[in-house]
Amino acid sequence: MVEVDEDYIRDPFNLQGLQDKLSKEKFKTCLRMILSPQQPNEDDLNDEAFLELNQESSDLYGMIHARFILNPKGLAKVYQKFLNGTYGTCPRALCDRQKVLPVGLSDTLRTSRFKNFCPRCEEVYLPKTRQVNVDGACFGSSFPQVFLMHYPRAVILPPKVYHFEPKIMGFNIAGKRGSKYFDPPKGNIRYIEDSMQALELEQLKDKEAAAANNLAVDFKGKLNLNSQDSNENTAATGEDGELTNR
């Protein structure tokens, strides 16, 4: 995270909508704690009420931080960290150690930790440093896109993003990436694996559903035939009875 300017925090316009998260008095108390230069002592750290207020102040600072990094000053501070490689590099081998950006999968607090977004493969990965426990809402889900729009030359991408193509003895495998028969799964979820297990499972489920439907239709057809035969036998028996009575 970057340090939010004090002037930005003191401007009420930048805090619009955040007052609804807390009560009016508690909101002011949290702001005073954020802007206070004093450090907590041992007695404060043993006070449960102080720890609860400190957690709420941290949440408020995180929401302010998510807004601050979307303006030019905040973007400039993140840009310096990006150049220094503070957020790490992409773990994908074919991305050639591309520097990554922080991103949150949700704008709601306590949903998930922050993740790393790679501008080259446009995928999200877990950060290598697990000791940094920062909420993803402190960065927000829109930050990487805003950063790349503000600094279009910050990330120079190659003309083609290379994907791994599995081969056997130099030949492509039918149904896998690189083959003309490769049909990647479609939908909202982007699969980063090269296997087709997910698609094969879906096709298998469709086949089982179709087979079950066919069995149901055949069973209904047999029931209809049996009922028709019984009706015909009943009608024939009734005619024979009439003839006998006559």
Side-chain angles (χ1 to χ4, degrees):
M1 296 176 67
V2 300
E3 183 179 357
V4 181
D5 294 343
E6 184 175 340
D7 296 338
Y8 185 87
I9 299 177
R10 292 186 180 277
D11 189 352
F13 178 78
N14 300 323
L15 308 180
Q16 290 293 330
L18 298 181
Q19 297 92 334
D20 301 335
K21 307 293 182 180
L22 301 170
S23 62
K24 186 176 181 179
E25 293 298 327
K26 189 169 289 187
F27 180 80
K28 292 181 179 180
T29 305
C30 291
L31 278 182
R32 285 196 297 267
M33 180 176 288
I34 292 172
L35 297 173
S36 175
Q38 297 179 356
Q39 299 292 332
N41 52 35
E42 293 183 1
D43 295 335
D44 293 333
L45 295 177
N46 293 327
D47 187 2
E48 293 183 0
F50 176 83
L51 293 177
E52 182 180 355
L53 183 62
N54 183 68
Q55 181 61 48
E56 293 177 346
S57 301
S58 301
D59 294 341
L60 179 60
Y61 184 84
M63 291 185 287
I64 296 173
H65 179 273
R67 296 185 176 190
F68 176 72
I69 60 176
L70 296 180
N71 70 21
K73 287 186 177 181
L75 287 169
K77 290 186 176 183
V78 177
Y79 180 61
Q80 292 299 322
K81 288 181 174 290
F82 174 77
L83 293 179
N84 296 331
T86 304
Y87 305 111
T89 57
C90 181
R92 186 172 177 269
L94 296 179
C95 284
D96 194 20
R97 298 184 64 82
Q98 169 67 48
K99 295 176 181 177
V100 296
L101 292 166
V103 65
L105 299 183
S106 174
D107 296 323
T108 305
L109 289 169
R110 296 182 182 85
T111 301
S112 64
R113 291 196 318 138
F114 84 100
K115 304 297 186 295
N116 287 338
F117 172 80
C118 176
R120 181 168 294 190
C121 63
E122 296 184 342
E123 292 292 351
V124 177
Y125 301 94
L126 292 172
K128 294 181 180 179
T129 307
R130 295 183 178 272
Q131 297 176 354
V132 181
N133 189 16
V134 180
D135 198 304
C138 296
F139 294 98
S141 57
S142 303
F143 171 71
Q145 291 73 30
V146 176
F147 180 89
L148 295 175
M149 291 175 62
H150 194 80
Y151 294 103
R153 298 183 180 274
V155 182
I156 301 176
L157 300 178
K160 177 182 178 182
V161 177
Y162 292 94
H163 296 279
F164 176 76
E165 297 180 359
K167 296 182 180 181
I168 298 179
M169 302 298 180
F171 295 96
N172 292 327
I173 304 173
K176 299 293 184 180
R177 191 185 299 277
S179 169
K180 64 179 181 179
Y181 302 105
F182 175 67
D183 185 18
K186 300 177 178 61
N188 294 327
I189 300 177
R190 295 182 59 189
Y191 295 91
I192 60 174
E193 296 87 4
D194 286 302
S195 66
M196 299 293 291
Q197 293 180 356
L199 183 60
E200 290 173 356
L201 289 175
E202 292 179 1
Q203 293 177 350
L204 181 60
K205 290 180 180 179
D206 294 339
K207 290 181 180 179
E208 291 178 351
N213 188 26
N214 293 333
L215 288 175
V217 172
D218 294 339
F219 183 70
K220 288 182 179 179
K222 290 180 180 180
L223 286 177
N224 293 331
L225 289 176
N226 292 334
S227 62
Q228 291 178 1
D229 293 339
S230 61
N231 292 333
E232 291 177 357
N233 293 333
T234 303
T237 303
E239 293 177 356
D240 294 340
E242 290 179 359
L243 292 173
T244 303
N245 291 331
R246 289 177 184 176

